[in-house]
Amino acid sequence: MLHSVCLASPLHSPKLKDSINGTSEIPNTTLLHHFTSPFELKQAVAFLIKTNKPLSLLPLSRVASICALTPDFPFAQQIFSSVDQQEVAIWNSCLRHLAEGSSLIDAVYLFHQMRSYNVSLDCFTCSFVLKACVGLRYLLHGRIVHGYIEKLGFQSNLVLLNSLLHLYATCGAMADANLLFDKMPQRDVVSWNIMITQLAKKGDVDGAFDLFEKMPERNLRSWTAMITGFVHCGKAKEAIRLFVEMEETGLRANEVTVVAVLAACADLGALELGRRIHEYSNKSGFKRNVHICNTLIDMYIKCGCLEAAKVVFDEMKERTIVSWSAMIQGLAIHGHGDEALELFNEMIKMGMKPNEVTFLGILHACSHMGLINKGRELFTSMSRDYNISPQIEHYGCMVDLLSRAGLLQDAYELITSMPIKPNAVVWGSFLGGCRIQKDVKMAEEAIRQLGVLDPLNDGYYIIMSNIYAEAKRWEDAARVRKLMKDRGVKKTPGWSSITIAGATHEFVAGDDNHPQAEQIIKRWDELLEQMKSKGYVPNTSVILLDIEENEKEKYVYRHSEKLALVFGLMNIKPGETIRIMKNLRVCEDCHAAFKVISEIVKREIVVRDRNRFHCFKDGFCSCKDYW
């Protein structure tokens, strides 16, 4: 049949004709080894048959690749049969090439060709097609392969079972993955790692950690998967604890581990560990890893070390839009809006195209600098010059900018004309602006909207109570507190933390449980005398209760950030920067007090609150104003 098919193929190729008519014993190499279609292949085969040359002269892998995805698949089978070659090995080679390249869907199609033409499948066939199925998230095709694994008796092949496990887990079929994992006759560290990684990615970090603890052996990938899982689920403390435990086993972090731990340090403000990881990263040759550098910038920014972030950024040989955006955002939240704008302009001059995150950072900078016209210009530029549709976060920045500047009516009109339905963050920004401008009427409209959009957020009620309290409308302030109670809204307890020599100390307002509580109060009283001599007057408007003034002063004197600061002054060497983290916004009185204290003690104080960084030095804050 092969003989008749080939001889029936017209010999149209001029080069092939020349080879046949010439005196050369072996035909042109280009013709026999570089055919590009089934038609040219048939011409080459016809020539070999006509000149009584063996078909083994043909490159069989090329035969397979030319015919694999065509109706001439059986023709290739005939060639392999005639040269006495095991065809499954040749098809597998072709399948592997497709599965490991960018032609994943072709790999699946070739698998179905092999099934249709009764090619005897082996474990390698199943392995390669499963790889393609994972890349394509083809769960249904993967189940078909699973059926063949069972049918052909490959159930004890650990590589195949791990590939199946990976497929089910990656495609979100965790019930199937769990069932397969439980029934596996044997498991290796790869099996456990697949389950841990995918459970963590799906948000089931507790289930992942339960498996992690049961592992008979762990490798670096196991530890890294679990550390990364904790970070992604917002459990930075657990991630760092696990990293320290990993170090004790003698394992050295790789680049993926470094990124995960740095992200955890950023979340916790764990500067000392972050610096140590930075040093380790440089010694390990990771300095050129852009992802690590970007994470370092983010870590230093979130730990209040803007200068260190600048150093990393300046030393980068290659920068991505993530690098630029992170630095711009960092400058903005540290109160260096002018530098953020300069960096943005430099980025544009270098031909780097900004994205949504870049604009979020630069609009944030405009908001805190009160640059109304510049903010409006950049907001318009997003869609006009860069074809970026403003998202809800960008509208929130604009509302914040206009509200801070006292343009409440403009901000309100922007909210009501937005093409996107305004969310609680947008109305919350407007409410904050209403407080700055002491506009009770507009604030009441904002709180009405927020009562529907986010009725359980205590922060909005507290701001509204503050607005009423500042207007001496005590009954309305009490009504808001009663509304909170009726709706079951509980005030988030404020806390501040400070890390000294690797140990983190947390304080709450009025805290008297700390071992050094008495010394802290005594040191505060001494400091208070110096502050008053510098003109400090306690701002008791932050106290919502209608009580005597001296009682209000006692409340503000015991705020958690003040306690943390005094503790830092007592325990951190003179001249060293004091860094404090607070879960809520720093109150106006603490903000004013910290400016005075920074001048008295002659040192820098950095406070990271819920919204931004406040860098106090020589009686000033990096913020343009408190808000």
Side-chain angles (χ1 to χ4, degrees), residues 294 319-328 347 352-358:
N294 290 342
R319 296 172 186 153
T320 65
I321 188 59
V322 176
S323 321
W324 290 94
S325 299
M327 201 63 239
I328 289 169
M347 183 190 81
M352 182 68 70
K353 186 178 178 181
N355 63 11
E356 294 89 343
V357 179
T358 320

Side-chain angles (χ1 to χ4, degrees), residues 107-291:
V108 175
Y109 182 74
L110 174 55
F111 173 72
H112 288 293
Q113 287 270 73
M114 293 170 71
R115 289 171 53 217
S116 298
Y117 291 102
N118 299 316
V119 176
S120 298
L121 310 179
D122 63 13
C123 57
F124 294 107
T125 315
C126 297
S127 175
F128 299 144
V129 75
L130 280 175
K131 185 178 182 69
C133 288
V134 169
L136 294 165
R137 304 294 191 270
Y138 273 9
L139 181 59
L140 178 59
H141 293 281
R143 292 190 193 280
I144 292 171
V145 179
H146 191 176
Y148 273 94
I149 290 172
E150 295 291 329
K151 180 180 178 181
L152 299 173
F154 299 152
Q155 302 95 326
S156 60
N157 188 308
L158 186 55
V159 173
L160 280 183
L161 294 185
N162 282 340
S163 296
L164 269 175
L165 195 63
H166 191 199
L167 174 71
Y168 286 133
T170 302
C171 292
M174 292 308 298
D176 293 317
N178 283 321
L179 183 62
L180 177 61
F181 184 77
D182 291 339
K183 289 187 173 183
M184 287 174 71
Q186 59 175 324
R187 308 182 190 112
D188 61 5
V189 69
V190 175
S191 319
W192 291 87
N193 287 348
I194 290 169
M195 292 299 293
I196 289 168
T197 301
Q198 295 304 322
L199 282 169
K201 283 184 178 179
K202 301 292 185 296
D204 185 8
V205 70
D206 293 330
F209 189 62
D210 183 56
L211 284 181
F212 179 81
E213 288 193 307
K214 293 176 181 176
M215 288 184 74
E217 63 172 318
R218 301 166 183 159
N219 60 12
L220 180 58
R221 186 181 290 269
S222 317
W223 290 92
T224 300
M226 199 63 247
I227 291 168
T228 304
F230 276 136
V231 172
H232 288 167
C233 292
K235 295 189 174 185
K237 285 184 180 178
E238 288 84 348
I240 287 178
R241 176 189 58 78
L242 203 62
F243 172 71
V244 172
E245 189 179 330
M246 184 197 86
E247 285 187 312
E248 291 172 353
T249 68
L251 283 173
R252 290 173 55 83
N254 62 13
E255 291 166 284
V256 180
T257 323
V258 166
V259 168
V261 178
L262 286 173
C265 292
D267 289 344
L268 286 179
L271 179 60
E272 291 180 28
L273 178 59
R275 281 174 170 159
R276 181 163 69 81
I277 298 299
H278 186 185
E279 184 180 350
Y280 167 83
S281 175
N282 287 344
K283 288 181 178 178
S284 301
F286 302 158
K287 197 169 184 178
R288 292 185 178 273
N289 186 307
V290 176
H291 195 21

Side-chain angles (χ1 to χ4, degrees), residues 546-589:
D546 186 14
I547 57 177
E548 294 297 324
E549 190 67 19
N550 63 333
E551 290 298 315
K552 288 184 179 181
E553 289 183 8
K554 289 180 182 177
Y555 274 94
V556 297
Y557 292 163
R558 300 295 184 266
H559 279 186
S560 64
E561 54 265 57
K562 289 190 178 83
L563 298 176
L565 173 57
V566 174
F567 179 74
L569 290 171
M570 292 165 51
N571 293 277
I572 296 177
K573 294 178 182 178
E576 290 188 9
T577 301
I578 294 176
R579 304 178 192 278
I580 297 169
M581 289 184 63
K582 184 172 174 62
N583 67 325
L584 304 177
R585 286 197 301 183
V586 173
C587 83
E588 291 174 80
D589 180 73

Side-chain angles (χ1 to χ4, degrees), residues 488-501:
V489 180
K490 294 184 178 179
K491 185 179 183 300
T492 303
W495 56 259
S496 298
S497 68
I498 183 168
T499 301
I500 300 174

